[in-house]
Every structure is written in C-alpha cells, then in structure tokens.
Amino acid sequence: EERNTTAGCLCCCVNCCVNCFKKFVEYVNKLALIDTAVRHGGFCESCTHFFKVFLGEGPAFFNLMGATFLFSLGGILFIVGISAFVCHFTITSQESFTDDTSAYYISNPYLVTTVAAVLAGLVGISCMAVLDFVSDAMLYCYALGSTMHRNHDRVCPELLQDHVENAKGGFYDDD
C-alpha cells in the first residue's frame, strides 16, 4: 500500500484545528453557563454576551487560563506524589503488611501503590477542576462588572484587580 504524505499532513493540520476549536468551544460553554447563572438568560444569549465580555478582557482570561493550568498540573502531581509515597512507605514499613504469615500481607506493594496513585490522581483532577471553574467564574464576574461600569473597589480582591490591569497592559511590573 502506498501512503499519500500530503493527505496525511493535511489530515493532521485539520485534526489540530478541530481540536483547538473543540477546546475553545468547551471553554465558551463553561463560561456561558456561568453567564446564564449570573444573568438568568438563555444559553445562546449568554454565549453572545460572553463573547462581548471576553473581547474586553481577553488577555486576562488567557493569562489566568495558563496560570490555572500550571497550578492544576502541579497540584495533581503533588497529590499523586504524596499519596503514592505515603502508601508505599506504609505498606513496606509496617510489619503487618510485610510479614508472610500476617492476614494483611501484601505480596506486591508496587501494585497497591499504583492503584493508590491512580485513585489519588482522580481525586486531584476533581479538586483542580473545581479550582479551574472557580477562578474562571471569579474573573468572568469581574469582567462582567467592568462592562456594567460598576465600582469593584469594595467587592473585588485586590490581587484579582491587579492581575486584570496587568494583563491588559500585556506585561507585569516588578513593583
């Protein structure tokens, strides 16, 4: 069989574009749901409204998405690492798990450690998904308030105000 390398390259490019669009639609879907909850409108109306707000605060959204991704990845790795370490340390250092005659003897501690790490990973992913949603919701509510010309000084955390203002400028000051 002959393979058409041009068609393969084209399929790869199209697949990349489709995946990029899919990720963007998933993100819009999440924030449109936040807009629906805040403004009590329909979903399509919320999508339209989200785009108007997003155009004004785009850099802040992208900066927060990147920072949240890195923090989430670090959090998941930390949770998995600590859980696997504690599990492996416990089952290899306690006599009840290492003694062949014990009713609680574990013959393959690496398998148990791997299962514990997978379960910890699922818990970590769940926790970080909540963090991601909450951070997006906070930024969206801030942006929504900005478009409605409301004063944020009393209700918005100072760190969030600084983040949005710095992101609009495209760089962070070293003050």
Side-chain angles (χ1 to χ4, degrees), residues 3 16 18 40 82 106-107 112 118 123 138 148 155 171:
R3 300 181 92 174
C16 181
V18 167
H40 307 290
I82 292 295
I106 297 174
S107 62
V112 175
V118 168
V123 169
M138 284 179 59
M148 300 172 108
V155 295
F171 60 92

Side-chain angles (χ1 to χ4, degrees), residues 124-148:
I125 288 170
S126 300
C127 291
M128 295 301 131
V130 170
L131 170 81
D132 182 43
F133 191 81
V134 168
S135 65
D136 287 342
M138 284 179 59
L139 182 60
Y140 185 73
C141 288
Y142 177 84
L144 186 62
S146 291
T147 60
M148 300 172 108

Side-chain angles (χ1 to χ4, degrees), residues 16-157:
C16 181
C17 291
V18 167
N19 284 334
C20 184
F21 182 72
K22 179 184 171 200
K23 292 227 181 255
F24 183 73
V25 168
E26 288 172 356
Y27 187 72
V28 168
N29 186 31
K30 179 173 58 170
L31 291 177
L33 290 175
I34 294 170
D35 188 81
T36 301
V38 171
R39 295 183 49 246
H40 307 290
F43 182 75
C44 291
E45 177 188 340
S46 294
C47 284
T48 304
H49 190 259
F50 161 75
F51 274 113
K52 290 178 184 173
V53 173
F54 182 77
L55 290 175
E57 303 293 340
F61 278 106
F62 285 118
N63 283 344
L64 183 67
M65 283 172 41
T68 303
F69 173 76
L70 292 176
F71 187 80
S72 296
L73 183 63
I76 292 167
L77 292 175
F78 179 77
I79 291 170
V80 169
I82 292 295
S83 299
F85 173 77
V86 168
C87 176
H88 188 73
F89 178 76
T90 302
I91 62 178
T92 57
S93 65
Q94 296 295 318
E95 188 176 327
S96 60
F97 298 127
T98 58
D99 184 16
D100 297 10
T101 60
S102 172
Y104 301 108
Y105 173 67
I106 297 174
S107 62
N108 191 350
Y110 295 107
L111 177 65
V112 175
T113 301
T114 302
V115 170
V118 168
L119 292 175
L122 293 174
V123 169
I125 288 170
S126 300
C127 291
M128 295 301 131
V130 170
L131 170 81
D132 182 43
F133 191 81
V134 168
S135 65
D136 287 342
M138 284 179 59
L139 182 60
Y140 185 73
C141 288
Y142 177 84
L144 186 62
S146 291
T147 60
M148 300 172 108
H149 306 294
R150 292 195 178 152
N151 186 358
H152 293 74
D153 294 341
R154 292 179 287 137
V155 295
C156 184

